[in-house]
Amino acid sequence: MDELNCVYDHLKFDEACVNVMSDNSNFDTWLYSLSTDCLSCPYKRIARISNEVNSSLKFSTVKAVKWRVLKNDGSDEYISAKITSDIFCELSPNLGQYGLYELAVQNKTCNFKTLKNSTYPYTELFIILGIITFILFGISTGRLLWYMFKRRWGKAAKEGPSNKEPRKRRVKAIDTFRGASILCMIFINDGSGSYTILGHTTWNGMLPGDLIFPCFIWIMGVCIPIALSAQLRRGVSKSQISCSILKRSFLLFLIGVSLNTLGTNAQLENIRIFGVLQRFGISFLIVGLVYLCFASEQSKAVQNSSRTWITREMQDISSLLPHFCVMLILIIVHCAITFGLPVPECPTGYLGPGGRHEDGTYFNCTGGATGYIDKIVLTLNHVYQNPTIKYVYGTGPFDPEGILGCLTTIFQVFLGVHAGVILMIYKDWKDRVMRWLLWAALYGCLGCAFHFTDIIPVNKNLWSLSFVFVSTSFALAFLSGCYLLVDVTRVWRGGPFRIPGMNALVLYVGHSICYQIFPFHWRIGAMDTRALCFIESIWVVFLWTVIAYIMHHKRTYITL
């Protein structure tokens, strides 16, 4: 909400203008507002409603609001929603972007009416996505027809049968999945075309943008058993593999810390230590070493499990039994710390956002044990200074990629390892897809049960256990779909995602470095239309996709 008077012609998307007037001269009234995005928060003072002068106020339409008109002197900036005295009237207005409304406070009632209807906020989204889909469909159809033409009349059809042994096919669905994750991450980081519904939720719950990072890190887990098993088959020693795991983890962490200094003076006492790539590095280190440690036991379990039908059907579980035990210990430790660690001046097991939540009772308790550990170990200067919750709940620094969340992230990467082991053990596509979807259903049910019973709410900022289950469920379902379309039926070649997925790290680092320079970023005027913002975000994704295709054409793939 903008407390300054608004001019209707100057409204941007996601904004509405409300004219406020009163014909009451007997007592003062004040307008207080509460966003539904701020759970258990107090109402905030907006403006005085006077019969002497009318005012127009600008409100955000991203989240629904509740209003209270109070008969008081307006001395309190915030008033608890639990206090019901002095309420003159209470409303839940339905505000839409570019809408013009009127709130009239009369002697006994408050009348709210629409002066100019709002516009539909998703028109540009559907139009632009429709155009992009049409173009991609046209390209795919053209390529399919071209390959059919070459197969039927081209040189390949005239050649005799080859005596070469068929090479083992790369599972293209993995690259497609990874490419979709990195391109979506670039799109979200660039502002998701001004559509907040495509971005991140403030605290509890989940929006599409919350699925991207867990999918990106989960698919790394899928690749771990495939890559490490291939090295072991080639005769690479465990010590050499361990050194390469340590090296890659260290480089990921170092690059992540370096990226955190972009746009700053790299002041050592204020550098944010943790972040996205740092979490990749830590997860890869632990999961990779655990998998490598039990590699011999895993191969024995696979050999022994082929004796009976039951053991054959459960090879993916029996071969990872020691790994499951290690992960269970990590989850127990995480839950014990989350719900049992005493946090000064905060209730034990608190999972809220702090700040104005619960009327500010636990103002400095953001994230409970999660935030407390970061404050003690990293200190406030070395955690993320501008979290999303800061602008809703008024909290201080909080790191959504902090220390405690690494434990559940490690578990999520291991769930990716399990999916990769299924891919390695079972050769029939039906066995693979059936198991992926069964585990997806199980994880989805567990996550929803935890969330809707309020035992462990879905929360990306805390990387809660329920968040791990729900996002892994989505990842398994999405991988199953990609695998069926790209590798089984081959009706889709994975474009335009597969090629970017082969250089995902380069795209992420490059985007993080170049996100504020031309041609990766540009502005025209005030960028006050959705179409411009959306086109700019799509342009960034397109540009990095082109770069990925150029690197692929030159056979340039950069990994650590």
Side-chain angles (χ1 to χ4, degrees):
M1 203 289 305
D2 191 342
E3 296 188 23
L4 300 176
N5 290 351
C6 64
V7 179
Y8 177 78
D9 293 337
H10 294 170
L11 287 179
K12 294 175 59 179
F13 54 84
D14 288 336
E15 290 181 347
C17 192
V18 180
N19 294 325
V20 181
M21 59 187 65
S22 173
D23 61 2
N24 191 345
S25 59
N26 296 326
F27 48 82
D28 287 337
T29 54
W30 287 79
L31 176 64
Y32 282 74
S33 180
L34 172 63
S35 170
T36 56
D37 198 30
C38 194
L39 300 178
S40 302
C41 291
Y43 281 77
K44 181 182 179 181
R45 183 186 63 215
I46 301 301
R48 180 173 178 263
I49 304 175
S50 171
N51 66 332
E52 299 174 356
V53 58
N54 297 334
S55 59
S56 56
L57 305 172
K58 186 162 58 177
F59 285 84
S60 170
T61 61
V62 173
K63 298 292 182 180
V65 295
K66 296 179 181 179
W67 289 343
R68 280 183 178 178
V69 178
L70 303 181
K71 294 187 294 183
N72 60 16
D73 57 4
S75 58
D76 295 322
E77 183 178 3
Y78 293 97
I79 293 183
S80 172
K82 300 174 184 177
I83 299 176
T84 57
S85 59
D86 298 330
I87 295 179
F88 182 77
C89 64
E90 194 168 8
L91 307 92
S92 296
N94 184 19
L95 304 178
Q97 70 170 9
Y98 298 116
L100 179 60
Y101 307 92
E102 179 183 273
L103 173 62
V105 179
Q106 300 172 337
N107 286 328
K108 295 183 179 180
T109 60
C110 296
N111 293 323
F112 179 80
K113 65 180 180 180
T114 301
L115 302 179
K116 184 177 178 62
N117 290 327
S118 60
T119 61
Y120 186 64
Y122 303 110
T123 302
E124 296 90 342
L125 175 65
F126 291 137
I127 291 175
I128 296 175
L129 286 183
I131 294 173
I132 294 172
T133 302
F134 178 78
I135 293 173
L136 293 178
F137 181 77
I139 294 173
S140 298
T141 303
R143 293 189 65 178
L144 179 62
L145 293 175
W146 172 248
Y147 281 112
M148 290 175 62
F149 174 81
K150 286 204 306 181
R151 186 180 301 175
R152 187 166 183 177
W153 289 287
K155 182 179 178 181
K158 298 178 182 179
E159 293 179 351
S162 175
N163 294 325
K164 293 182 179 180
E165 294 183 3
R167 292 189 304 172
K168 189 175 181 180
R169 291 184 70 249
R170 181 185 180 100
V171 181
K172 297 179 180 179
I174 294 178
D175 292 325
T176 303
F177 184 104
R178 191 190 299 112
S181 299
I182 185 58
L183 292 183
C184 287
M185 183 176 284
I186 291 173
F187 177 76
I188 297 299
N189 289 347
D190 197 67
S192 60
S194 77
Y195 283 97
T196 54
I197 195 172
L198 299 178
H200 300 292
T201 189
T202 303
W203 193 246
N204 290 339
M206 181 178 285
L207 289 175
D210 296 316
L211 290 167
I212 308 305
F213 183 17
C215 284
F216 196 16
I217 204 166
W218 177 85
I219 199 65
M220 177 184 71
V222 175
C223 299
I224 286 176
I226 300 173
L228 297 189
S229 297
Q231 293 183 60
L232 290 172
R233 286 196 301 270
R234 292 198 303 267
V236 182
S237 66
K238 285 189 176 183
S239 60
Q240 289 177 301
I241 298 175
S242 299
C243 289
S244 66
I245 291 174
L246 287 168
K247 174 188 172 184
R248 189 170 191 265
S249 301
F250 173 77
L251 289 175
L252 283 170
F253 199 98
L254 180 62
I255 294 172
V257 174
S258 300
L259 292 178
N260 286 346
T261 64
L262 289 172
T264 70
N265 293 323
Q267 201 75 24
L268 291 181
E269 58 266 30
N270 295 320
I271 289 178
R272 181 190 177 196
I273 296 177
F274 278 75
V276 172
L277 290 185
Q278 294 90 315
R279 187 161 283 194
F280 267 89
I282 293 172
S283 302
F284 179 72
L285 174 66
I286 303 301
V287 177
L289 291 179
V290 169
Y291 183 84
L292 188 64
C293 180
F294 296 108
S296 56
E297 286 78 1
Q298 180 187 355
S299 60
K300 292 178 183 177
V302 172
Q303 294 173 1
N304 296 332
S305 62
S306 59
R307 297 175 181 175
T308 65
W309 178 83
I310 295 179
T311 53
R312 280 198 304 270
E313 293 300 314
M314 299 186 66
Q315 286 183 68
D316 56 308
I317 300 176
S318 60
S319 63
L320 291 176
L321 206 53
H323 311 71
F324 273 110
C325 293
V326 174
M327 294 302 141
L328 180 61
I329 293 173
L330 286 181
I331 294 303
I332 292 173
V333 170
H334 178 271
C335 291
I337 295 174
T338 300
F339 296 103
L341 180 68
V343 179
E345 300 180 2
C346 304
T348 302
Y350 179 73
L351 299 176
R356 289 189 286 270
H357 180 248
E358 298 291 350
D359 294 330
T361 306
Y362 313 118
F363 195 89
N364 295 316
C365 299
T366 303
T370 301
Y372 178 67
I373 290 174
D374 290 340
K375 292 177 186 177
I376 297 299
V377 178
L378 305 176
T379 72
L380 283 178
N381 289 339
H382 296 290
V383 300
Y384 190 43
Q385 299 296 308
N386 298 299
T388 305
I389 51 175
K390 177 180 179 179
Y391 305 100
V392 177
Y393 290 93
T395 62
F398 177 81
D399 207 322
E401 282 86 41
I403 296 173
L404 190 58
C406 290
L407 296 180
T408 43
T409 306
I410 290 169
F411 176 61
Q412 181 154 31
V413 173
F414 169 71
L415 296 182
V417 169
H418 182 210
V421 168
I422 290 175
L423 187 65
M424 291 170 54
I425 291 178
Y426 302 100
K427 305 306 178 184
D428 185 72
W429 68 267
K430 296 177 184 177
D431 292 332
R432 293 171 172 176
V433 173
M434 179 189 69
R435 283 168 174 79
W436 285 341
L437 292 179
L438 284 175
W439 283 107
L442 175 62
Y443 294 148
C445 291
L446 283 174
C448 290
F450 282 137
H451 178 74
F452 290 109
T453 56
D454 285 332
I455 297 175
I456 306 177
V458 171
N459 190 301
K460 179 185 178 294
N461 292 279
L462 302 176
W463 213 275
S464 64
L465 189 59
S466 56
F467 174 76
V468 169
F469 284 135
V470 172
S471 55
T472 300
S473 174
F474 172 82
L476 280 165
F478 185 49
L479 179 63
S480 300
C482 291
Y483 180 67
L484 286 172
L485 294 174
V486 177
D487 292 287
V488 178
T489 62
R490 303 187 189 181
V491 297
W492 180 34
R493 295 174 57 85
F497 305 117
R498 184 172 64 86
I499 302 304
M502 300 171 75
N503 259 315
L505 180 61
V506 174
L507 266 62
Y508 178 80
V509 174
H511 166 68
S512 299
I513 295 174
C514 302
Y515 77 103
Q516 283 187 327
I517 64 175
F518 183 83
F520 301 95
H521 174 71
W522 46 262
R523 294 178 63 86
I524 298 177
M527 297 291 285
D528 55 358
T529 65
R530 283 196 187 278
L532 272 178
C533 293
F534 197 78
I535 290 172
E536 195 270 344
S537 295
I538 292 295
W539 165 257
V540 175
V541 175
F542 169 75
L543 205 57
W544 284 109
T545 303
V546 171
I547 292 172
Y549 270 85
I550 293 173
M551 294 181 69
H552 174 68
H553 180 72
K554 295 180 177 293
R555 296 294 185 265
T556 302
Y557 308 102
I558 300 176
T559 57
L560 297 179

